[in-house]
PDB file of all heavy atoms in Angstrom:
ATOM      1  N   GLY A   6      54.866 -19.969 -10.783  1.00  0.00           N
ATOM      2  CA  GLY A   6      53.783 -20.773 -11.450  1.00  0.00           C
ATOM      3  C   GLY A   6      52.718 -21.207 -10.534  1.00  0.00           C
ATOM      4  O   GLY A   6      51.484 -21.108 -10.884  1.00  0.00           O
ATOM      5  N   LEU A  18      36.760 -19.296  -9.698  1.00  0.00           N
ATOM      6  CA  LEU A  18      35.854 -19.574  -8.757  1.00  0.00           C
ATOM      7  C   LEU A  18      35.023 -18.377  -8.437  1.00  0.00           C
ATOM      8  O   LEU A  18      33.822 -18.439  -8.339  1.00  0.00           O
ATOM      9  CB  LEU A  18      36.651 -19.935  -7.470  1.00  0.00           C
ATOM     10  CG  LEU A  18      35.732 -20.220  -6.198  1.00  0.00           C
ATOM     11  CD1 LEU A  18      34.840 -21.452  -6.549  1.00  0.00           C
ATOM     12  CD2 LEU A  18      36.588 -20.520  -4.951  1.00  0.00           C
ATOM     13  N   ALA A  19      35.583 -17.102  -8.510  1.00  0.00           N
ATOM     14  CA  ALA A  19      34.826 -15.942  -8.263  1.00  0.00           C
ATOM     15  C   ALA A  19      33.924 -15.719  -9.429  1.00  0.00           C
ATOM     16  O   ALA A  19      32.677 -15.387  -9.249  1.00  0.00           O
ATOM     17  CB  ALA A  19      35.755 -14.768  -8.137  1.00  0.00           C
ATOM     18  N   LYS A  37      11.292 -17.299  -1.854  1.00  0.00           N
ATOM     19  CA  LYS A  37      11.636 -16.347  -0.760  1.00  0.00           C
ATOM     20  C   LYS A  37      13.136 -16.435  -0.415  1.00  0.00           C
ATOM     21  O   LYS A  37      13.749 -15.418   0.158  1.00  0.00           O
ATOM     22  CB  LYS A  37      10.902 -16.576   0.560  1.00  0.00           C
ATOM     23  CG  LYS A  37       9.424 -16.249   0.303  1.00  0.00           C
ATOM     24  CD  LYS A  37       9.067 -14.837   0.169  1.00  0.00           C
ATOM     25  CE  LYS A  37       7.760 -14.459   0.247  1.00  0.00           C
ATOM     26  NZ  LYS A  37       7.433 -13.049  -0.084  1.00  0.00           N
ATOM     27  N   LEU A  54       3.570   3.609 -10.579  1.00  0.00           N
ATOM     28  CA  LEU A  54       3.150   4.594  -9.555  1.00  0.00           C
ATOM     29  C   LEU A  54       3.344   6.040 -10.049  1.00  0.00           C
ATOM     30  O   LEU A  54       2.499   6.878  -9.750  1.00  0.00           O
ATOM     31  CB  LEU A  54       4.152   4.510  -8.389  1.00  0.00           C
ATOM     32  CG  LEU A  54       3.807   5.103  -6.948  1.00  0.00           C
ATOM     33  CD1 LEU A  54       2.406   4.675  -6.576  1.00  0.00           C
ATOM     34  CD2 LEU A  54       4.798   4.716  -5.984  1.00  0.00           C
ATOM     35  N   ASN A  55       4.417   6.324 -10.833  1.00  0.00           N
ATOM     36  CA  ASN A  55       4.543   7.576 -11.448  1.00  0.00           C
ATOM     37  C   ASN A  55       3.428   7.924 -12.401  1.00  0.00           C
ATOM     38  O   ASN A  55       2.908   9.064 -12.430  1.00  0.00           O
ATOM     39  CB  ASN A  55       5.901   7.667 -12.208  1.00  0.00           C
ATOM     40  CG  ASN A  55       6.315   9.156 -12.626  1.00  0.00           C
ATOM     41  OD1 ASN A  55       6.346   9.992 -11.770  1.00  0.00           O
ATOM     42  ND2 ASN A  55       6.590   9.283 -13.807  1.00  0.00           N
ATOM     43  N   LEU A  57       0.470   6.629 -12.293  1.00  0.00           N
ATOM     44  CA  LEU A  57      -0.805   6.816 -11.412  1.00  0.00           C
ATOM     45  C   LEU A  57      -0.811   8.248 -10.758  1.00  0.00           C
ATOM     46  O   LEU A  57      -1.837   8.845 -10.638  1.00  0.00           O
ATOM     47  CB  LEU A  57      -0.891   5.811 -10.387  1.00  0.00           C
ATOM     48  CG  LEU A  57      -1.401   4.415 -10.810  1.00  0.00           C
ATOM     49  CD1 LEU A  57      -1.351   3.459  -9.563  1.00  0.00           C
ATOM     50  CD2 LEU A  57      -2.888   4.576 -11.316  1.00  0.00           C
ATOM     51  N   GLY A  59       0.328  10.961 -11.991  1.00  0.00           N
ATOM     52  CA  GLY A  59      -0.121  11.872 -12.919  1.00  0.00           C
ATOM     53  C   GLY A  59      -1.659  11.718 -13.227  1.00  0.00           C
ATOM     54  O   GLY A  59      -2.345  12.826 -13.287  1.00  0.00           O
ATOM     55  N   LEU A  90       4.786   6.091   6.912  1.00  0.00           N
ATOM     56  CA  LEU A  90       3.885   6.228   8.029  1.00  0.00           C
ATOM     57  C   LEU A  90       4.846   6.295   9.307  1.00  0.00           C
ATOM     58  O   LEU A  90       5.921   5.770   9.422  1.00  0.00           O
ATOM     59  CB  LEU A  90       3.035   4.994   8.186  1.00  0.00           C
ATOM     60  CG  LEU A  90       2.095   4.698   7.042  1.00  0.00           C
ATOM     61  CD1 LEU A  90       1.257   3.491   7.386  1.00  0.00           C
ATOM     62  CD2 LEU A  90       1.155   5.889   6.851  1.00  0.00           C
ATOM     63  N   GLN A 126      -6.657   6.945   8.223  1.00  0.00           N
ATOM     64  CA  GLN A 126      -7.994   7.370   8.324  1.00  0.00           C
ATOM     65  C   GLN A 126      -8.103   8.707   9.124  1.00  0.00           C
ATOM     66  O   GLN A 126      -9.026   9.503   8.857  1.00  0.00           O
ATOM     67  CB  GLN A 126      -8.959   6.289   8.716  1.00  0.00           C
ATOM     68  CG  GLN A 126      -9.277   5.345   7.717  1.00  0.00           C
ATOM     69  CD  GLN A 126     -10.243   4.275   8.297  1.00  0.00           C
ATOM     70  OE1 GLN A 126     -10.288   4.032   9.537  1.00  0.00           O
ATOM     71  NE2 GLN A 126     -10.918   3.526   7.359  1.00  0.00           N
ATOM     72  N   THR A 133      -9.671   5.801  -1.063  1.00  0.00           N
ATOM     73  CA  THR A 133     -10.296   5.071  -2.110  1.00  0.00           C
ATOM     74  C   THR A 133      -9.248   4.078  -2.729  1.00  0.00           C
ATOM     75  O   THR A 133      -8.213   4.427  -3.111  1.00  0.00           O
ATOM     76  CB  THR A 133     -10.811   5.987  -3.262  1.00  0.00           C
ATOM     77  OG1 THR A 133     -11.616   7.084  -2.738  1.00  0.00           O
ATOM     78  CG2 THR A 133     -11.639   5.289  -4.337  1.00  0.00           C
ATOM     79  N   GLU A 136      -5.960   0.326  -6.960  1.00  0.00           N
ATOM     80  CA  GLU A 136      -5.712  -0.954  -7.517  1.00  0.00           C
ATOM     81  C   GLU A 136      -4.701  -1.848  -6.684  1.00  0.00           C
ATOM     82  O   GLU A 136      -4.044  -1.348  -5.854  1.00  0.00           O
ATOM     83  CB  GLU A 136      -5.079  -0.889  -8.958  1.00  0.00           C
ATOM     84  CG  GLU A 136      -3.750  -0.193  -9.100  1.00  0.00           C
ATOM     85  CD  GLU A 136      -3.352  -0.061 -10.516  1.00  0.00           C
ATOM     86  OE1 GLU A 136      -3.932   0.533 -11.299  1.00  0.00           O
ATOM     87  OE2 GLU A 136      -2.127  -0.599 -10.787  1.00  0.00           O
TER      88      GLU A 136
END
Side-chain angles (χ1 to χ4, degrees):
L18 182 62
K37 292 289 183 185
L54 193 59
N55 192 52
L57 280 176
L90 298 180
Q126 284 180 338
T133 308
E136 67 182 54

